[in-house]
């Protein structure tokens, strides 16, 4: 091979090395960012799970009614960031079943705007749903009071 050919090979190697250094630094930075993001997700999930456990205890101990517990717990479980997702509705059918029945019922200002007989009718309907699903709800919250995401 001629001197010119060797010079070209040397030049290509030098340029490749010069490009590899910043590329390696970028790859290392990307890996650190991904690790930080995973750590932040895990910390957020743990805060959510702590709230789930507290509410599950409150529902089990009668400090929170079933409908309020179902609304809070289903929303918290659905907020968990889990790779590949998870079918919480099938794992906790009592809570999700009650949530589906009461989610459209008015709350706060909308509830206060209703006539008294309308509120009583809605409360009676909600109580019926709670009684119908009580056994399953109690099973669900019993499992949630110590709930952990499997790793």
């Amino acid at each position: 091979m001629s001197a010119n050919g060797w010079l070209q090979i040397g030049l290509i190697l030098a340029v490749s090395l010069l490009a590899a250094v910043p590329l390696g630094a970028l790859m290392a930075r990307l890996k650190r960012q991904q690790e930080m993001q995973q750590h932040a997700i895990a910390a957020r999930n743990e805060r959510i799970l702590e709230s789930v456990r507290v509410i599950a205890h409150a529902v089990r101990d009668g400090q929170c009614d079933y409908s309020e517990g179902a609304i809070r717990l289903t929303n918290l479980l659905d907020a968990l960031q889990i790779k590949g997702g998870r079918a919480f509705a099938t794992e906790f059918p009592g809570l999700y079943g009650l949530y589906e029945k009461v989610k459209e019922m008015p709350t706060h200002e909308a509830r206060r705007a209703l006539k008294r007989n309308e509120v009583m009718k809605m409360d009676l309907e909600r109580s019926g749903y709670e009684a119908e699903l009580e056994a399953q709800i109690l099973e669900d919250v019993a499992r949630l009071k110590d709930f952990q995401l499997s790793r």
Side-chain angles (χ1 to χ4, degrees):
M1 185 176 281
S2 71
N4 195 17
W6 286 111
L7 182 62
Q8 287 178 342
I9 290 173
L11 211 60
I12 290 170
L13 287 173
V15 168
S16 296
L17 282 174
L18 286 174
V21 170
L23 181 60
L26 281 173
M27 295 295 287
R29 194 162 93 195
L30 177 62
K31 184 178 182 201
R32 278 193 311 275
Q33 285 176 340
Q34 288 173 336
E35 288 170 353
M36 288 172 50
Q37 183 181 29
Q38 290 304 313
H39 178 72
I41 288 170
R44 178 179 179 271
N45 280 348
E46 190 50 44
R47 284 191 305 275
I48 290 171
L49 287 173
E50 184 56 33
S51 293
V52 164
R53 292 180 204 112
V54 168
I55 295 168
H57 277 278
V59 171
R60 183 200 65 191
D61 296 343
Q63 298 169 339
C64 176
D65 70 44
Y66 295 152
S67 294
E68 182 178 353
I71 291 167
R72 291 177 185 273
L73 289 168
T74 56
N75 282 293
L76 286 168
L77 290 170
D78 290 343
L80 290 168
Q81 290 181 272
I82 303 169
K83 200 174 207 172
R86 191 149 165 189
F88 288 120
T90 56
E91 284 186 65
F92 306 105
L95 291 168
Y96 277 83
L98 182 57
Y99 173 74
E100 285 301 317
K101 292 177 186 250
V102 300
K103 70 181 179 182
E104 300 298 326
M105 291 183 173
T107 61
H108 304 91
E109 282 299 316
R111 180 180 167 90
R112 284 191 280 276
L114 295 174
K115 294 178 183 169
R116 184 175 174 185
N117 65 331
E118 292 172 320
V119 171
M120 288 173 48
K121 181 181 175 194
M122 186 176 57
D123 286 348
L124 188 61
E125 182 181 358
R126 182 179 49 78
S127 292
Y129 296 145
E130 290 177 349
E132 172 188 328
L133 294 166
E134 181 175 23
Q136 184 62 57
I137 290 168
L138 290 173
E139 284 180 34
D140 291 353
V141 296
R143 286 184 307 154
L144 282 172
K145 68 183 186 59
D146 299 313
F147 190 68
Q148 297 286 327
L149 290 176
S150 41
R151 303 202 192 290

